[in-house]
Amino acid sequence: ELARERGWKIAVFSDPHESWGTLPDTPTYPVDLSDAQAVEECFARVSSNWGHPASALVYFATSDTPDARARLAVTESADGWEATQSHHPLSGFLFAQSGAREMLRLRGGQQVEDGAVVLVVDVGVAHSAPGFGTASMSAAVGGLAGTARQLAVEWGPFGIRVNTVHLGITEGLTGRGAELLRRVPLARVADPRELAESCYYLMSRASSYVTGAVLPVDGGYHAS
């Protein structure tokens, strides 16, 4: 919504099992983000519809299952571990790779003017806490962070910046969730607009000399 307010064209790629709110005049492409060919085809469709490639890519790594907090390392199955690892690190990489390829393809492999990739992860799994996230999800997020650093190094010469955002808590929490909130120095949840502004900063030319960074937008939780 923030990007639309500021004149950006938006397209949403979403796994079919995930639910996103709709925005007026915003196409949504249901796609298996772990399917390389399907993701590339979606980026090609966006370029065809817009007449130019997407210049900013934002990937959200959400919790893998609704009961993820209940899965402990001593009970999580090998299948559950593999499913998480094959989803987030792979999907985030393919999303970034396909988008970058499309930018470069339509510029004949030459340096792009200003490309941006933002990988967004939940701070609850990016910064471990008892009872939140899972070992497999923490490993997946760690893999995404490492991927972002490597992509920043490789793609910087082509004008494509890659950064990571650790999102803070955006909803009121109860039970064990309240314990997590007590570790936030600013002592409140985030307004989604605050998180959006931070992502927008990394998408925009205001951050034209920022790449390979991890930006915690979490009220100081990472420091607690």
Side-chain angles (χ1 to χ4, degrees):
E1 291 174 346
L2 178 68
R4 281 181 56 83
E5 289 173 12
R6 296 177 182 176
W8 289 55
K9 294 179 181 177
I10 308 297
V12 175
F13 295 0
S14 179
D15 277 321
H17 67 276
E18 294 180 352
S19 176
W20 281 80
T22 58
L23 292 173
D25 303 318
T26 300
T28 298
Y29 299 87
V31 58
D32 179 355
L33 292 172
S34 63
D35 183 332
Q37 182 176 347
V39 177
E40 287 198 355
E41 289 174 352
C42 280
F43 274 109
R45 288 173 61 190
V46 168
S47 296
S48 176
N49 291 338
W50 290 355
H52 59 81
S55 60
L57 319 175
V58 183
Y59 176 83
F60 288 86
T62 56
S63 182
D64 51 347
T65 62
D67 65 340
R69 294 177 181 176
R71 297 202 329 249
L72 301 177
V74 293
T75 59
E76 185 169 14
S77 69
D79 288 344
W81 175 281
E82 290 178 358
T84 301
Q85 300 311 305
S86 65
H87 178 52
H88 288 300
L90 178 60
S91 295
F93 171 69
L94 292 177
F95 179 78
Q97 181 192 56
S98 297
R101 281 177 172 173
E102 189 68 7
M103 292 182 205
L104 294 170
R105 181 181 72 83
L106 295 184
R107 290 173 174 82
Q110 301 301 308
Q111 185 180 38
V112 305
E113 182 177 352
D114 186 43
V117 178
V118 183
L119 301 179
V120 184
V121 299
D122 187 331
V123 72
V125 291
H127 184 61
S128 301
F132 294 91
T134 64
S136 60
M137 190 63 180
S138 293
V141 168
L144 275 176
T147 297
R149 290 193 298 270
Q150 183 64 27
L151 296 183
V153 171
E154 290 192 19
W155 295 353
F158 295 98
I160 300 174
R161 299 177 292 104
V162 185
N163 294 288
T164 304
V165 169
H166 286 179
L167 289 183
I169 304 166
T170 58
E171 298 177 343
L173 300 175
T174 59
R176 299 196 70 175
E179 298 175 19
L180 186 65
L181 184 57
R182 281 195 288 270
R183 294 178 60 180
V184 177
L186 290 185
R188 64 175 177 84
V189 298
D191 185 318
R193 190 84 175 189
E194 294 174 303
L195 305 178
E197 288 281 6
S198 299
C199 290
Y200 186 84
Y201 165 71
L202 293 174
M203 292 163 53
S204 71
R205 292 192 62 82
S207 62
S208 58
Y209 202 57
V210 178
T211 193
V214 176
L215 177 61
V217 189
D218 60 8
Y221 175 76
H222 72 287
S224 65

